[in-house]
Every structure is written in C-alpha cells, then in structure tokens.
Amino acid sequence: MKNKTTNVIFILFSLTASAQVGINTPDPKSTLDVNGNTIISEVPDTTTLSGYKILTLNQNSSEVSQIDPNLLFPTTPAGPGTESTVFSERKISGISLSSTPLFSTWKKVNFVLGDRTVGSPVLFSNSDNAYITPTSGIYAIGFYFRYGSGIQPSLLADDLKVGILRNTNGNFSTLETRNFNGANLGAIALTISEININSVYSLNADDKIYFALTNTGTLEQSSLDVSSSSFYIYKISD
C-alpha cells in the first residue's frame, strides 16, 4: 500500500511540474503567469554587464523577455563607429584659395593634413583639400573663417561668402553659405570679416566636404597670409 501511495504522489508531482501555473488568474498563458505586483526583497549586486541579460516587459502581451544590455547601453555613441568619424583642422596663417573654382566661383581653403588637430588621416584627402565621409548619416559640421585682422574696410562689400560644399559622385552642391556682416558708420563702411557656420547635415558615404569662399576678387593675399580658419566634423546619428 505504501508503494502505491508513493507512485500516485510521484505521478501527481510530474503532472503539476509540467503544467501551467497561474497566480491570481484562472487561465495561465505560460508556465508561470502572475497577475499582480511582484516584490523581490533582495537581489545580488553586479559591477559588470558582461554575461548578464536584462529582463524587459512587453506592454502588449505582458510577457517578460531578456535583452542584451549593449542594445540599451551601446559602447559607441549615437551609432556604430561614430567615434571614428571625428576630424578637425586649424590654420592660423598661410591661407590661400584654390586657383580653379570647384563650381561657379567657389574657391576652397587650402586645408592639408598638416593642419589636422584631431582625427584619423584616412578621413582627409590632401589632393582635394576635402574631408571624406566614411559612412552615411547625420553629421555636425562647423566652419570658421577670419579674414585679416577681423575688421576690414568696405572692400568686402561685393557679396563675399563662406560656404560648406559637398561633392557626391562628381555632383557639387552647397550645404550652407553665410555672408560677412557689415556696419555703416557714416563716412566709413566696415565689414566684420569673422564668420561661423555651425549646423547638422545628412551626408552620404564617400561624400567629399570642402570649406570655401566665393566672390573673392577683392581679397588680398597679404591679408590671407595672416587670416585664420578652422573646421570640425563628426557623425552624430545614423
């Protein structure tokens, strides 16, 4: 009799272990279906995400699933490899402009790898004086230019502009342009020859980015020699 009772208990335990269990629900939808709040009094601490998964709740089905922590806390900012797109250059003297316009009357500033302050040399073409976009995405770009000492007579009044230009497979376009600001002081008209462009742009892989000026007929090389210019560029999102 004792042996039969033991067999019955074992069979009942096996059926219970393989069944779905519901707490506060008569119709469990999973091995364990809890309808209500859960309190955990104590859990161990961990100082690393390596080897762990994070539990997440599906708000539609109330199902709990595990997720890789790296999907929530990526090891690289804003998208894969964005840190490898960072690049900047600065020229504090010896500026010249290309003798041949890129398109229309735009002439690029003679940035070279020797002016690099941050970034990998593979991101810049010395022969083109251009930054080469490594991957498609959204990029932050800043361009600064100061002509001469910063304030000039009205010789800059002939619509001189600075601009950020793009070459996509041989097709040139302007991402943004900016005019120099001026001030009319009665008998004297002055132009504040210091200007910044800072914005974000959608770029394609292998785009060439130039920093240039247009309508430069009145510029003097002696003033360009003591001019300064700089740019930065980096990817912020896919």
Side-chain angles (χ1 to χ4, degrees):
M1 174 64 79
K2 181 179 180 180
N3 185 52
K4 291 182 178 179
T5 302
T6 303
N7 289 338
V8 170
I9 293 174
F10 179 77
I11 292 172
L12 290 174
F13 177 80
S14 298
L15 290 173
T16 302
S18 63
Q20 293 176 324
V21 177
I23 300 176
N24 284 342
T25 175
D27 184 24
K29 298 295 192 298
S30 187
T31 303
L32 177 62
D33 191 342
V34 180
N35 182 20
N37 294 336
T38 301
I39 296 176
I40 301 176
S41 299
E42 184 177 347
V43 293
D45 292 330
T46 178
T47 58
T48 178
L49 293 177
S50 178
Y52 286 85
K53 296 286 187 177
I54 293 176
L55 297 181
T56 58
L57 177 68
N58 186 318
Q59 291 182 326
N60 294 322
S61 66
S62 296
E63 183 179 11
V64 176
S65 302
Q66 61 181 0
I67 186 172
D68 188 336
N70 287 325
L71 295 177
L72 300 176
F73 312 108
T75 56
T76 56
T82 55
E83 74 286 351
S84 64
T85 67
V86 177
F87 194 86
S88 67
E89 294 203 4
R90 180 174 64 244
K91 297 184 77 73
I92 58 175
S93 63
I95 289 179
S96 65
L97 304 176
S98 58
S99 57
T100 303
L102 291 173
F103 74 106
S104 184
T105 61
W106 287 98
K107 296 183 177 182
K108 57 190 176 184
V109 177
N110 64 323
F111 285 112
V112 293
L113 275 175
D115 305 315
R116 175 173 56 100
T117 57
V118 174
S120 170
V122 301
L123 296 172
F124 194 82
S125 169
N126 250 354
S127 59
D128 285 327
N129 310 109
Y131 174 90
I132 303 174
T133 309
T135 58
S136 299
I138 307 300
Y139 285 74
I141 305 179
F143 177 33
Y144 166 82
F145 188 88
R146 191 204 70 206
Y147 177 65
S149 62
I151 298 179
Q152 299 292 330
S154 57
L155 58 88
L156 298 180
D158 55 352
D159 201 29
L160 178 69
K161 297 178 182 179
V162 301
I164 303 173
L165 281 58
R166 172 172 62 179
N167 176 358
T168 303
N169 297 323
N171 297 312
F172 288 88
S173 61
T174 55
L175 292 176
E176 190 160 349
T177 65
R178 194 72 53 84
N179 286 87
F180 286 92
N181 295 317
N184 193 331
L185 305 179
I188 301 176
L190 299 177
T191 299
I192 303 172
S193 54
E194 187 174 66
I195 195 164
N196 279 286
I197 298 177
N198 300 280
S199 194
V200 296
Y201 310 91
S202 177
L203 303 179
N204 303 311
D206 297 323
D207 278 353
K208 292 183 177 181
I209 306 301
Y210 306 94
F211 303 90
L213 285 79
T214 189
N215 300 327
T216 58
T218 54
L219 297 185
E220 300 176 352
Q221 186 58 50
S222 59
S223 292
L224 284 173
D225 287 338
V226 295
S227 299
S228 61
S229 186
S230 62
F231 76 84
Y232 67 81
I233 182 169
Y234 60 93
K235 186 177 182 180
I236 59 175
S237 173
D238 289 330

